[in-house]
mmCIF file of all heavy atoms in Angstrom:
data_model
loop_
_atom_site.group_PDB
_atom_site.id
_atom_site.type_symbol
_atom_site.label_atom_id
_atom_site.label_comp_id
_atom_site.label_asym_id
_atom_site.label_seq_id
_atom_site.Cartn_x
_atom_site.Cartn_y
_atom_site.Cartn_z
ATOM 1 N N GLU A 298 17.128 5.145 5.189
ATOM 2 C CA GLU A 298 18.328 5.681 4.548
ATOM 3 C C GLU A 298 18.080 7.101 4.023
ATOM 4 O O GLU A 298 18.952 7.970 4.116
ATOM 5 C CB GLU A 298 18.746 4.758 3.406
ATOM 6 C CG GLU A 298 20.120 5.004 2.871
ATOM 7 C CD GLU A 298 20.491 4.017 1.781
ATOM 8 O OE1 GLU A 298 19.845 2.960 1.669
ATOM 9 O OE2 GLU A 298 21.430 4.329 1.026
ATOM 10 N N ALA A 299 16.886 7.334 3.483
ATOM 11 C CA ALA A 299 16.544 8.658 2.965
ATOM 12 C C ALA A 299 16.514 9.690 4.090
ATOM 13 O O ALA A 299 17.012 10.812 3.931
ATOM 14 C CB ALA A 299 15.200 8.612 2.251
ATOM 15 N N LEU A 300 15.942 9.322 5.245
ATOM 16 C CA LEU A 300 15.902 10.252 6.375
ATOM 17 C C LEU A 300 17.307 10.587 6.864
ATOM 18 O O LEU A 300 17.605 11.737 7.172
ATOM 19 C CB LEU A 300 15.065 9.651 7.514
ATOM 20 C CG LEU A 300 13.561 9.537 7.259
ATOM 21 C CD1 LEU A 300 12.887 8.796 8.396
ATOM 22 C CD2 LEU A 300 12.933 10.894 7.066
ATOM 23 N N ASP A 301 18.177 9.583 6.934
ATOM 24 C CA ASP A 301 19.564 9.831 7.350
ATOM 25 C C ASP A 301 20.279 10.740 6.363
ATOM 26 O O ASP A 301 21.025 11.638 6.751
ATOM 27 C CB ASP A 301 20.329 8.515 7.491
ATOM 28 C CG ASP A 301 19.878 7.729 8.707
ATOM 29 O OD1 ASP A 301 19.275 8.331 9.618
ATOM 30 O OD2 ASP A 301 20.124 6.503 8.749
ATOM 31 N N THR A 302 20.061 10.496 5.075
ATOM 32 C CA THR A 302 20.689 11.328 4.046
ATOM 33 C C THR A 302 20.230 12.773 4.165
ATOM 34 O O THR A 302 21.044 13.699 4.090
ATOM 35 C CB THR A 302 20.342 10.786 2.647
ATOM 36 O OG1 THR A 302 20.768 9.442 2.549
ATOM 37 C CG2 THR A 302 21.005 11.600 1.562
ATOM 38 N N LEU A 303 18.943 12.976 4.373
ATOM 39 C CA LEU A 303 18.397 14.329 4.437
ATOM 40 C C LEU A 303 18.818 15.072 5.704
ATOM 41 O O LEU A 303 18.991 16.286 5.688
ATOM 42 C CB LEU A 303 16.878 14.290 4.337
ATOM 43 C CG LEU A 303 16.332 13.878 2.970
ATOM 44 C CD1 LEU A 303 14.841 13.642 3.053
ATOM 45 C CD2 LEU A 303 16.656 14.925 1.932
ATOM 46 N N ARG A 304 18.976 14.337 6.809
ATOM 47 C CA ARG A 304 19.383 14.992 8.056
ATOM 48 C C ARG A 304 20.758 15.631 7.936
ATOM 49 O O ARG A 304 21.035 16.650 8.557
ATOM 50 C CB ARG A 304 19.389 13.978 9.197
ATOM 51 C CG ARG A 304 18.032 13.752 9.795
ATOM 52 C CD ARG A 304 18.074 12.997 11.102
ATOM 53 N NE ARG A 304 16.732 12.608 11.475
ATOM 54 C CZ ARG A 304 16.202 11.415 11.241
ATOM 55 N NH1 ARG A 304 16.906 10.483 10.642
ATOM 56 N NH2 ARG A 304 14.962 11.154 11.591
ATOM 57 N N PHE A 305 21.649 15.015 7.148
ATOM 58 C CA PHE A 305 23.022 15.502 7.068
ATOM 59 C C PHE A 305 23.347 16.191 5.744
ATOM 60 O O PHE A 305 24.498 16.539 5.509
ATOM 61 C CB PHE A 305 23.992 14.345 7.307
ATOM 62 C CG PHE A 305 23.849 13.770 8.695
ATOM 63 C CD1 PHE A 305 23.245 12.542 8.887
ATOM 64 C CD2 PHE A 305 24.281 14.481 9.791
ATOM 65 C CE1 PHE A 305 23.095 12.024 10.154
ATOM 66 C CE2 PHE A 305 24.135 13.978 11.070
ATOM 67 C CZ PHE A 305 23.538 12.737 11.254
ATOM 68 N N ALA A 306 22.353 16.385 4.894
ATOM 69 C CA ALA A 306 22.587 17.088 3.629
ATOM 70 C C ALA A 306 22.738 18.586 3.906
ATOM 71 O O ALA A 306 21.962 19.165 4.664
ATOM 72 C CB ALA A 306 21.439 16.844 2.658
ATOM 73 N N PRO A 307 23.734 19.236 3.304
ATOM 74 C CA PRO A 307 23.965 20.650 3.594
ATOM 75 C C PRO A 307 22.998 21.603 2.884
ATOM 76 O O PRO A 307 22.945 22.785 3.225
ATOM 77 C CB PRO A 307 25.397 20.879 3.105
ATOM 78 C CG PRO A 307 25.596 19.868 2.032
ATOM 79 C CD PRO A 307 24.776 18.676 2.430
ATOM 80 N N GLN A 308 22.245 21.129 1.910
ATOM 81 C CA GLN A 308 21.367 22.008 1.142
ATOM 82 C C GLN A 308 20.188 22.486 1.992
ATOM 83 O O GLN A 308 19.692 21.764 2.860
ATOM 84 C CB GLN A 308 20.818 21.288 -0.095
ATOM 85 C CG GLN A 308 21.839 21.002 -1.145
ATOM 86 C CD GLN A 308 22.561 19.680 -0.915
ATOM 87 O OE1 GLN A 308 22.276 18.964 0.027
ATOM 88 N NE2 GLN A 308 23.502 19.372 -1.790
ATOM 89 N N ALA A 309 19.726 23.686 1.705
ATOM 90 C CA ALA A 309 18.595 24.254 2.443
ATOM 91 C C ALA A 309 17.295 23.515 2.152
ATOM 92 O O ALA A 309 16.397 23.472 2.993
ATOM 93 C CB ALA A 309 18.439 25.734 2.101
ATOM 94 N N ALA A 310 17.186 22.901 0.999
ATOM 95 C CA ALA A 310 15.959 22.195 0.624
ATOM 96 C C ALA A 310 15.805 20.879 1.377
ATOM 97 O O ALA A 310 14.728 20.279 1.349
ATOM 98 C CB ALA A 310 15.952 21.925 -0.874
ATOM 99 N N SER A 311 16.848 20.422 2.049
ATOM 100 C CA SER A 311 16.765 19.128 2.719
ATOM 101 C C SER A 311 15.791 19.149 3.896
ATOM 102 O O SER A 311 15.168 18.135 4.192
ATOM 103 C CB SER A 311 18.152 18.671 3.180
ATOM 104 O OG SER A 311 18.683 19.575 4.109
ATOM 105 N N GLU A 312 15.622 20.299 4.555
ATOM 106 C CA GLU A 312 14.708 20.369 5.698
ATOM 107 C C GLU A 312 13.245 20.174 5.293
ATOM 108 O O GLU A 312 12.556 19.323 5.870
ATOM 109 C CB GLU A 312 14.883 21.681 6.449
ATOM 110 C CG GLU A 312 14.032 21.767 7.698
ATOM 111 C CD GLU A 312 14.192 23.096 8.419
ATOM 112 O OE1 GLU A 312 15.105 23.861 8.071
ATOM 113 O OE2 GLU A 312 13.391 23.357 9.321
ATOM 114 N N PRO A 313 12.716 20.923 4.306
ATOM 115 C CA PRO A 313 11.323 20.669 3.926
ATOM 116 C C PRO A 313 11.108 19.289 3.307
ATOM 117 O O PRO A 313 10.055 18.669 3.507
ATOM 118 C CB PRO A 313 10.996 21.769 2.920
ATOM 119 C CG PRO A 313 12.237 22.482 2.631
ATOM 120 C CD PRO A 313 13.255 22.098 3.639
ATOM 121 N N VAL A 314 12.103 18.762 2.597
ATOM 122 C CA VAL A 314 11.962 17.425 2.011
ATOM 123 C C VAL A 314 11.989 16.363 3.110
ATOM 124 O O VAL A 314 11.264 15.369 3.049
ATOM 125 C CB VAL A 314 13.052 17.174 0.940
ATOM 126 C CG1 VAL A 314 13.006 15.752 0.435
ATOM 127 C CG2 VAL A 314 12.880 18.145 -0.214
ATOM 128 N N LEU A 315 12.792 16.586 4.165
ATOM 129 C CA LEU A 315 12.819 15.677 5.311
ATOM 130 C C LEU A 315 11.440 15.617 5.960
ATOM 131 O O LEU A 315 10.920 14.528 6.243
ATOM 132 C CB LEU A 315 13.866 16.143 6.326
ATOM 133 C CG LEU A 315 13.904 15.416 7.664
ATOM 134 C CD1 LEU A 315 14.432 14.003 7.477
ATOM 135 C CD2 LEU A 315 14.741 16.163 8.668
ATOM 136 N N LYS A 316 10.836 16.773 6.183
ATOM 137 C CA LYS A 316 9.496 16.820 6.772
ATOM 138 C C LYS A 316 8.482 16.121 5.871
ATOM 139 O O LYS A 316 7.554 15.464 6.341
ATOM 140 C CB LYS A 316 9.060 18.262 7.010
ATOM 141 C CG LYS A 316 9.779 18.930 8.146
ATOM 142 C CD LYS A 316 9.242 20.333 8.346
ATOM 143 C CE LYS A 316 9.927 21.020 9.498
ATOM 144 N NZ LYS A 316 9.374 22.376 9.738
ATOM 145 N N LEU A 317 8.680 16.258 4.568
ATOM 146 C CA LEU A 317 7.763 15.654 3.611
ATOM 147 C C LEU A 317 7.854 14.127 3.648
ATOM 148 O O LEU A 317 6.833 13.435 3.604
ATOM 149 C CB LEU A 317 8.074 16.182 2.215
ATOM 150 C CG LEU A 317 7.069 15.880 1.130
ATOM 151 C CD1 LEU A 317 5.725 16.493 1.463
ATOM 152 C CD2 LEU A 317 7.566 16.395 -0.195
ATOM 153 N N VAL A 318 9.061 13.593 3.738
ATOM 154 C CA VAL A 318 9.240 12.137 3.827
ATOM 155 C C VAL A 318 8.635 11.618 5.128
ATOM 156 O O VAL A 318 7.968 10.579 5.144
ATOM 157 C CB VAL A 318 10.731 11.756 3.700
ATOM 158 C CG1 VAL A 318 10.944 10.288 3.983
ATOM 159 C CG2 VAL A 318 11.255 12.102 2.322
ATOM 160 N N GLN A 319 8.842 12.338 6.222
ATOM 161 C CA GLN A 319 8.248 11.939 7.501
ATOM 162 C C GLN A 319 6.723 11.946 7.413
ATOM 163 O O GLN A 319 6.054 11.067 7.961
ATOM 164 C CB GLN A 319 8.719 12.870 8.613
ATOM 165 C CG GLN A 319 10.172 12.695 8.967
ATOM 166 C CD GLN A 319 10.686 13.760 9.919
ATOM 167 O OE1 GLN A 319 10.118 14.863 10.012
ATOM 168 N NE2 GLN A 319 11.775 13.465 10.611
ATOM 169 N N SER A 320 6.168 12.920 6.702
ATOM 170 C CA SER A 320 4.722 12.993 6.517
ATOM 171 C C SER A 320 4.213 11.819 5.678
ATOM 172 O O SER A 320 3.164 11.246 5.963
ATOM 173 C CB SER A 320 4.348 14.315 5.858
ATOM 174 O OG SER A 320 2.976 14.382 5.626
ATOM 175 N N ALA A 321 4.960 11.446 4.640
ATOM 176 C CA ALA A 321 4.562 10.312 3.805
ATOM 177 C C ALA A 321 4.580 9.016 4.616
ATOM 178 O O ALA A 321 3.699 8.155 4.455
ATOM 179 C CB ALA A 321 5.486 10.203 2.595
ATOM 180 N N ILE A 322 5.571 8.864 5.497
ATOM 181 C CA ILE A 322 5.638 7.677 6.359
ATOM 182 C C ILE A 322 4.441 7.645 7.304
ATOM 183 O O ILE A 322 3.816 6.600 7.503
ATOM 184 C CB ILE A 322 6.965 7.660 7.142
ATOM 185 C CG1 ILE A 322 8.143 7.466 6.188
ATOM 186 C CG2 ILE A 322 6.962 6.575 8.208
ATOM 187 C CD1 ILE A 322 9.494 7.704 6.814
ATOM 188 N N ALA A 323 4.096 8.804 7.876
ATOM 189 C CA ALA A 323 2.938 8.889 8.766
ATOM 190 C C ALA A 323 1.645 8.575 8.009
ATOM 191 O O ALA A 323 0.756 7.898 8.538
ATOM 192 C CB ALA A 323 2.867 10.275 9.399
ATOM 193 N N ASN A 324 1.538 9.044 6.764
ATOM 194 C CA ASN A 324 0.360 8.736 5.954
ATOM 195 C C ASN A 324 0.267 7.242 5.680
ATOM 196 O O ASN A 324 -0.832 6.665 5.680
ATOM 197 C CB ASN A 324 0.406 9.507 4.636
ATOM 198 C CG ASN A 324 0.222 10.987 4.824
ATOM 199 O OD1 ASN A 324 -0.214 11.435 5.877
ATOM 200 N ND2 ASN A 324 0.583 11.761 3.821
ATOM 201 N N ALA A 325 1.414 6.592 5.452
ATOM 202 C CA ALA A 325 1.415 5.139 5.228
ATOM 203 C C ALA A 325 0.978 4.400 6.495
ATOM 204 O O ALA A 325 0.249 3.405 6.424
ATOM 205 C CB ALA A 325 2.804 4.683 4.800
ATOM 206 N N ARG A 326 1.407 4.901 7.649
ATOM 207 C CA ARG A 326 1.017 4.281 8.920
ATOM 208 C C ARG A 326 -0.497 4.380 9.118
ATOM 209 O O ARG A 326 -1.151 3.410 9.519
ATOM 210 C CB ARG A 326 1.751 4.957 10.077
ATOM 211 C CG ARG A 326 1.408 4.390 11.436
ATOM 212 C CD ARG A 326 2.186 5.059 12.562
ATOM 213 N NE ARG A 326 3.582 4.656 12.474
ATOM 214 C CZ ARG A 326 4.595 5.491 12.269
ATOM 215 N NH1 ARG A 326 4.368 6.776 12.115
ATOM 216 N NH2 ARG A 326 5.830 5.060 12.215
ATOM 217 N N VAL A 327 -1.074 5.536 8.818
ATOM 218 C CA VAL A 327 -2.524 5.727 8.973
ATOM 219 C C VAL A 327 -3.284 4.814 8.006
ATOM 220 O O VAL A 327 -4.273 4.186 8.387
ATOM 221 C CB VAL A 327 -2.894 7.212 8.743
ATOM 222 C CG1 VAL A 327 -4.387 7.391 8.610
ATOM 223 C CG2 VAL A 327 -2.351 8.059 9.869
ATOM 224 N N LYS A 328 -2.804 4.723 6.752
ATOM 225 C CA LYS A 328 -3.465 3.850 5.776
ATOM 226 C C LYS A 328 -3.416 2.392 6.218
ATOM 227 O O LYS A 328 -4.392 1.646 6.061
ATOM 228 C CB LYS A 328 -2.805 3.980 4.405
ATOM 229 C CG LYS A 328 -3.330 5.086 3.560
ATOM 230 C CD LYS A 328 -2.756 4.972 2.168
ATOM 231 C CE LYS A 328 -3.542 5.797 1.184
ATOM 232 N NZ LYS A 328 -3.031 5.663 -0.182
ATOM 233 N N ALA A 329 -2.275 1.963 6.772
ATOM 234 C CA ALA A 329 -2.139 0.582 7.230
ATOM 235 C C ALA A 329 -3.061 0.316 8.422
ATOM 236 O O ALA A 329 -3.666 -0.762 8.516
ATOM 237 C CB ALA A 329 -0.692 0.291 7.604
ATOM 238 N N ASP A 330 -3.175 1.283 9.334
ATOM 239 C CA ASP A 330 -4.071 1.122 10.477
ATOM 240 C C ASP A 330 -5.525 1.033 10.035
ATOM 241 O O ASP A 330 -6.291 0.232 10.579
ATOM 242 C CB ASP A 330 -3.902 2.289 11.454
ATOM 243 C CG ASP A 330 -2.594 2.213 12.222
ATOM 244 O OD1 ASP A 330 -1.943 1.143 12.194
ATOM 245 O OD2 ASP A 330 -2.211 3.232 12.843
ATOM 246 N N GLN A 331 -5.907 1.839 9.063
ATOM 247 C CA GLN A 331 -7.290 1.801 8.580
ATOM 248 C C GLN A 331 -7.605 0.488 7.882
ATOM 249 O O GLN A 331 -8.720 -0.007 7.965
ATOM 250 C CB GLN A 331 -7.545 2.973 7.635
ATOM 251 C CG GLN A 331 -7.628 4.307 8.337
ATOM 252 C CD GLN A 331 -7.782 5.466 7.371
ATOM 253 O OE1 GLN A 331 -7.600 5.317 6.166
ATOM 254 N NE2 GLN A 331 -8.113 6.639 7.903
ATOM 255 N N ALA A 332 -6.612 -0.056 7.180
ATOM 256 C CA ALA A 332 -6.827 -1.316 6.471
ATOM 257 C C ALA A 332 -6.609 -2.524 7.372
ATOM 258 O O ALA A 332 -6.885 -3.662 6.970
ATOM 259 C CB ALA A 332 -5.897 -1.398 5.266
#
Side-chain angles (χ1 to χ4, degrees):
E298 194 178 342
L300 291 174
D301 288 340
T302 302
L303 291 170
R304 277 193 191 97
F305 297 107
Q308 291 87 1
S311 62
E312 184 181 349
V314 174
L315 172 70
K316 288 182 179 182
L317 191 61
V318 172
Q319 290 171 337
S320 178
I322 293 169
N324 291 345
R326 180 178 290 118
V327 168
K328 274 189 163 182
D330 287 346
Q331 288 176 347

